[in-house]
Amino acid sequence: MAEVFLHIYDVTNSGSEKTNNTILQINRFFKDGIGLGGIFHSAIQVYGDDEWSYGYCEQGTGVFSCPSSKNPMYTYREKIVLGKTNCTIFMVNQILRELSREWPGHTYDLLSKNCNHFCDVLCDRLGVPKLPGWVNRFAHAGDTALEVAGNTAMRIKQAKTELVSASKVAYRFLSNVTSNVTNGSNGSSPQRPGTLNSSDNGNLRLQGSWFKGLLNTAKPSSSTEIENKDDDPNHAITNQPKNQSRDSVPIHHSAFG
């Protein structure tokens, strides 16, 4: 049996001292202050002095090792004992070889496949508890938010499609009503039992004209036209404050390891 250690770092590899200091302040407040979470890099140490983790690279595996607690990319924070594994050193090496094939560097994703996710998988295969929830909580929250936003957008699009279909059905129905009304009002045959008199026909002609005007102004757009309007910046909401800032917060893809 061998002990398994979790090494945690503050992510301070943005290249900007101001940004790095901001991340440190966020971690101090949200983790040290209220125990919620932060922006962290993690690595696992088992058998030997090296720690194992995962990161982005264009080619090859994203799994890498370095001397434990000595990763030069980040600021070291703490070490946590996760437990003991029953795996032999041979089994651990085999697990690491498998993970190296399963975790290529180009599949790295800030929110759904980062270093903390890798460490969770490694811990699971070693048979020890996974990382504490606060280590990767911000990434989990971000991933959930994106999923909710995606589902909402899909539901809105589906609702638009159903609305367009319903309006087309209504349009065809009104067109038939108008056609029947106008065709029936143009005849000059004598009135028969059960038919309308001339005054009623006059009312129907008036209603037919009104229906035509309604249809000409309310003809449904196609779903493509609606989607194009949504994508057209000229159709964006214009009641925003004139002095509202358009600055956006940059996302550093090296966060969470």
Side-chain angles (χ1 to χ4, degrees):
M1 298 178 69
E3 279 193 315
V4 179
F5 302 100
L6 170 65
H7 295 284
I8 300 175
Y9 299 78
D10 293 307
V11 174
T12 52
N13 64 335
S14 68
S16 167
E17 183 177 356
K18 182 178 180 179
T19 302
N20 291 340
N21 289 334
T22 299
I23 291 174
L24 290 174
Q25 292 174 10
I26 289 173
N27 289 352
R28 291 191 189 105
F29 177 78
F30 285 100
K31 168 55 178 68
D32 302 335
I34 60 179
L36 181 62
I39 303 173
F40 303 111
H41 170 79
S42 61
I44 298 295
Q45 177 187 0
V46 57
Y47 286 115
D49 297 327
D50 286 348
E51 64 182 34
W52 294 86
S53 191
Y54 171 75
Y56 173 81
C57 62
E58 292 184 357
Q59 295 181 344
T61 182
V63 178
F64 67 94
S65 65
C66 68
S68 60
S69 73
K70 304 296 184 183
N71 191 320
M73 295 286 290
Y74 311 105
T75 301
Y76 190 72
R77 168 175 276 265
E78 61 183 297
K79 177 175 76 172
I80 298 176
V81 179
L82 295 176
K84 293 186 176 181
T85 178
N86 291 322
C87 296
T88 64
I89 189 171
F90 173 81
M91 295 170 64
V92 170
N93 288 334
Q94 184 176 4
I95 290 172
L96 290 171
R97 284 194 296 270
E98 292 173 354
L99 292 176
S100 295
R101 292 190 295 268
E102 297 170 8
W103 290 69
H106 70 273
T107 63
Y108 175 94
D109 183 86
L110 177 66
L111 298 180
S112 62
K113 193 174 182 180
N114 61 40
C115 63
N116 301 318
H117 297 104
F118 169 81
C119 289
D120 268 343
V121 172
L122 178 53
C123 288
D124 184 63
R125 298 198 185 182
L126 293 175
V128 298
K130 295 183 178 181
L131 279 58
W134 56 265
V135 176
N136 207 29
R137 181 165 288 130
F138 279 15
H140 287 314
D143 195 33
T144 300
L146 287 179
E147 182 178 357
V148 170
N151 289 340
T152 301
M154 182 174 63
R155 289 170 184 168
I156 291 175
K157 184 175 181 180
Q158 181 179 1
K160 287 180 179 178
T161 302
E162 293 173 354
L163 179 61
V164 169
S165 299
S167 64
K168 287 181 177 179
V169 171
Y171 178 78
R172 287 195 295 268
F173 172 77
L174 292 176
S175 297
N176 292 333
V177 170
T178 304
S179 177
N180 292 336
V181 168
T182 55
N183 291 337
S185 63
N186 290 333
S188 57
S189 59
Q191 183 177 351
R192 294 173 296 177
T195 61
L196 299 175
N197 57 33
S198 59
S199 62
D200 290 333
N201 280 333
N203 291 333
L204 286 177
R205 282 196 295 271
L206 177 62
Q207 293 175 9
S209 300
W210 179 82
F211 272 129
K212 282 187 175 180
L214 174 66
L215 295 175
N216 289 334
T217 57
K219 186 174 181 179
S221 302
S222 67
S223 58
T224 302
E225 290 172 340
I226 290 181
E227 291 174 2
N228 290 338
K229 286 183 179 181
D230 291 340
D231 295 335
D232 188 349
N234 294 326
H235 290 272
I237 297 175
T238 57
N239 60 351
Q240 297 178 356
K242 292 183 179 180
N243 296 326
Q244 182 175 352
S245 172
R246 294 178 180 271
D247 295 340
S248 59
V249 179
I251 298 177
H252 298 283
H253 292 280
S254 57
F256 305 107

